[in-house]
Amino acid sequence: MTVETLTNRVLGAIRFLDAVTMVPVTRLLSVEGTGVAFFRNRRAVYVLTHVPGLEHHQRAFDQPPVTPALNSLSIQIRVRDPKGEYLPRVRSIQLPRDPSPANATQSDSLFQPIDILLYPAPTAKIAPGWAVIRASVTAQATGQPLSGALLRVERTSDAAYLAGGVSDSRGEALVAIPGFPAPPWEEGSGPVLTNEVGAILNVVFDPNAGQLPDPDQLEANNSTLPSSSISVALASGRTLTIQATVALP
């Protein structure tokens, strides 16, 4: 019997996180990229083993090739949830990753997974105590539902980012914010007390992004894209229903 050893160099790894809880999504997802090959390991991390343009990297071990330059090659990853609890999305990632062990703790290191956030579908389960925003996003002039809009919630007092969401093909979006303190309950005839947090709901839409935009790109370009803002009062266990409109050019 002949034993043959096949060894390939790993080109990177992708980990999917729940955008609400930031917990890794461990069940099977549909992940693909043009010409890209993966394998899913036991930790539900999708390991890149082949990427067009990095063929010479696959079998270079002692000294990785110097070209292409680090982070100079962009590939697009597409992910869908077979159960429909998360919205489908795309994400562009930059390769090759930094192979130096000295930089292993850096975000662009080959030894660090690339984290991709998965946003909940409007039908996703909500945990008790979460503050929830259910929004319908439409074009201001026509009332047409806007698919792929990015929703961002920032605390009014300090502009801290609290949560995000994405609208589906019907323009419907769910934004869930965990970690709110429960309201204080007191006996008596006085007013009901709540722990409210003032926030701003920002809605960003790119009319040129197509049906499945990259939320990270919307985030990066939010200051230059059509948008709108709505003031909201968040509280533990409270669900707000919002009609959000965006003026398109």
Side-chain angles (χ1 to χ4, degrees), residues 16-20 25 29 79 86-87 89 116-120:
F16 295 97
L17 304 179
D18 183 301
V20 179
V25 178
L29 301 167
V79 56
Y86 298 100
L87 294 174
R89 66 160 297 175
I116 298 181
L117 299 184
L118 297 183
Y119 292 90

Side-chain angles (χ1 to χ4, degrees), residues 5-68:
T5 300
L6 298 177
T7 306
N8 286 294
R9 185 169 180 263
V10 169
L11 303 175
I14 297 171
R15 180 174 59 182
F16 295 97
L17 304 179
D18 183 301
V20 179
T21 63
M22 302 305 290
V23 172
V25 178
T26 56
R27 57 184 173 76
L28 186 64
L29 301 167
S30 174
V31 184
E32 61 180 11
T34 303
V36 177
F38 306 88
F39 74 85
R40 180 178 180 273
N41 68 17
R42 294 182 178 180
R43 295 185 178 182
V45 173
Y46 293 75
V47 180
L48 291 161
T49 58
H50 176 79
V51 174
L54 295 182
E55 290 82 1
H56 294 299
H57 285 248
Q58 292 175 228
R59 299 188 181 281
F61 298 96
D62 294 335
Q63 185 64 45
V66 295
T67 58

